[in-house]
Amino acid sequence: MKQFWIVLIAIGSFYISQAQQLNGADLPAMIDLVDEHLNLNDYQKKELTLIFKDAIQEFEKIQTLEKTDVEKLSLMTQSQKATRNRLEVVLDNNQYQTYKALLDGSTKTLTAGTPVITETYESSSNTNANVIIDGSAASIADRLGFSGNEKSQFIAAYDKQEMEIQNVKNAGTITTASGIDLLTSILVTDFKIIDLGGRSTYEEYFQLRSSGQLNPNGSNSSGQDVDISQVYQLYDLKSALDLSDQQTGTFIRLIIGGEAEKGMIRKQYSGEQRAKKLKELETKSLQSLQQLLTPEQLQKLGQILGG
């Protein structure tokens, strides 16, 4: 079975990049990984080193700002867009498309810290736009048009996510483990919204989050640079496997955790030792999935991943 992949969406790349503590020492390994797929010349290696270095420094700068999480996410996506524009100049069209394919998960995934290319997305307007959001899960549910049991399910999922975010804030430092838990909670909530209200409702929620309207003190930025197509890729995988609510959280955590561990292996090892460690990780991931998924789900996953 092929190596498992995960696309780190804008909100996820923010937390994972903090968890891995990227710095200048990581750049050579990052460039080597990209070079494996793009066959860079010496000039391109030099330029990509500068581009990635600037991106990492910008991420670190944004992390230290006294701003809300939503404001930081908006700044992150602006930085990612600037990185994309610089890469378009340095890479030829084939290399650029290959790089985007890598980040989209259609082939081997790059490390979680690799600067992500985002595309512009515009959401549709919501018929409940006049509902005022006061920051509570109930007001957000009203804005999205949820009522009855659907509203109760949304509130439970959203409150659990906010509790996880607050726990990480209280800890002061985002570790790899807490970053994985945080991203898992965010994605579980996102998937629940799609399940309850469909994609149009989720797109409205995503726009509200990106623009800071979920927080009364949030950013007024438009949030139009955030790409949600990658969320749908993972959601489609979850749907294709027909995962239960209980399976979904564990499944997301397994994949994200595996990708984080894979990134650490690629940084710490090389050559045959790296290949051995990656093979061990693949075996461990498969064993975990065998415990989580039914035989039918495992067979479906194998078909989807081409293994």
Side-chain angles (χ1 to χ4, degrees):
M1 186 177 292
K2 291 184 178 179
Q3 302 262 342
F4 301 112
W5 52 266
I6 178 65
V7 179
L8 297 179
I9 59 176
I11 193 168
S13 64
F14 167 62
Y15 292 115
I16 295 299
S17 64
Q18 287 191 45
Q20 291 189 334
Q21 298 295 312
L22 287 173
N23 52 54
D26 301 305
L27 286 172
M30 188 182 298
I31 297 299
D32 287 344
L33 184 58
V34 175
D35 185 35
E36 288 179 11
H37 300 281
L38 304 190
N39 192 24
L40 303 172
N41 59 39
D42 290 341
Y43 165 76
Q44 290 173 324
K45 290 180 181 179
K46 180 179 179 181
E47 290 300 307
L48 261 65
T49 298
L50 293 175
I51 292 172
F52 289 171
K53 180 180 179 181
D54 290 344
I56 291 172
Q57 290 177 342
E58 183 66 16
F59 287 175
E60 292 174 343
K61 177 182 177 182
I62 292 172
Q63 292 166 19
T64 63
L65 297 177
E66 294 184 359
K67 293 181 178 294
T68 65
D69 291 340
V70 173
E71 289 175 313
K72 289 181 180 180
L73 289 174
S74 178
L75 292 173
M76 283 289 183
T77 56
Q78 293 176 31
S79 174
Q80 291 166 358
K81 186 175 181 179
T83 298
R84 178 196 64 190
N85 293 337
R86 293 178 66 183
L87 287 171
E88 285 182 301
V89 174
V90 174
L91 302 176
D92 63 38
N93 184 63
N94 289 336
Q95 289 173 318
Y96 181 69
Q97 295 304 321
T98 299
Y99 184 82
K100 290 208 301 182
L102 288 168
L103 294 175
D104 287 341
S106 55
T107 181
K108 292 181 180 179
T109 310
L110 299 182
T111 61
T114 306
V116 176
I117 296 176
T118 60
E119 304 292 341
T120 300
Y121 173 79
E122 294 186 7
S123 68
S124 58
S125 59
N126 190 292
T127 56
N128 301 289
N130 292 327
V131 177
I132 298 176
I133 297 176
D134 60 14
S136 68
S139 66
I140 297 171
D142 291 338
R143 176 66 175 267
L144 297 177
F146 289 137
S147 61
N149 184 52
E150 291 178 349
K151 181 176 181 179
S152 298
Q153 290 186 59
F154 169 79
I155 291 175
Y158 188 82
D159 283 346
K160 182 178 180 181
Q161 171 193 282
E162 292 302 291
M163 181 177 66
E164 184 67 41
I165 292 175
Q166 191 58 50
N167 288 340
V168 172
K169 287 182 178 179
N170 292 340
T173 301
I174 297 181
T175 65
T176 299
S178 63
I180 290 171
D181 288 343
L182 188 58
L183 180 52
T184 298
S185 180
I186 290 169
L187 286 171
V188 166
T189 302
D190 286 3
F191 290 177
K192 175 58 69 174
I193 294 171
I194 301 174
D195 287 340
L196 294 174
R199 300 198 178 200
S200 61
T201 299
Y202 172 67
E203 287 160 8
E204 179 66 16
Y205 170 81
F206 192 92
Q207 182 68 6
L208 291 170
R209 179 172 66 192
S210 300
S211 62
Q213 295 181 59
L214 298 185
N215 185 335
N217 298 318
S219 167
N220 292 321
S221 61
S222 66
Q224 296 297 317
D225 292 332
V226 179
D227 177 18
I228 68 171
S229 63
Q230 294 171 335
V231 179
Y232 287 148
Q233 289 180 6
L234 188 55
Y235 178 82
D236 287 343
L237 177 59
K238 169 254 186 189
S239 299
L241 297 178
D242 193 24
L243 299 179
S244 66
D245 286 349
Q246 183 176 5
Q247 286 177 311
T248 297
T250 304
F251 182 75
I252 293 172
R253 183 175 283 102
L254 281 174
I255 297 181
I256 296 174
E259 286 300 313
E261 191 171 348
K262 187 189 300 180
M264 296 302 294
I265 290 173
R266 284 173 169 159
K267 288 195 299 182
Q268 295 177 5
Y269 302 96
S270 61
E272 293 184 2
Q273 193 172 17
R274 175 192 287 181
K276 179 182 178 182
K277 292 291 185 180
L278 289 174
K279 184 63 177 178
E280 291 174 352
L281 174 60
E282 183 178 355
T283 300
K284 183 177 72 172
S285 298
L286 178 57
Q287 291 173 344
S288 297
L289 287 171
Q290 287 173 333
Q291 294 177 359
L292 174 67
L293 305 178
T294 66
E296 292 77 13
Q297 290 172 325
L298 279 171
Q299 181 180 14
K300 182 65 175 180
L301 180 61
Q303 294 172 349
I304 293 172
L305 298 181

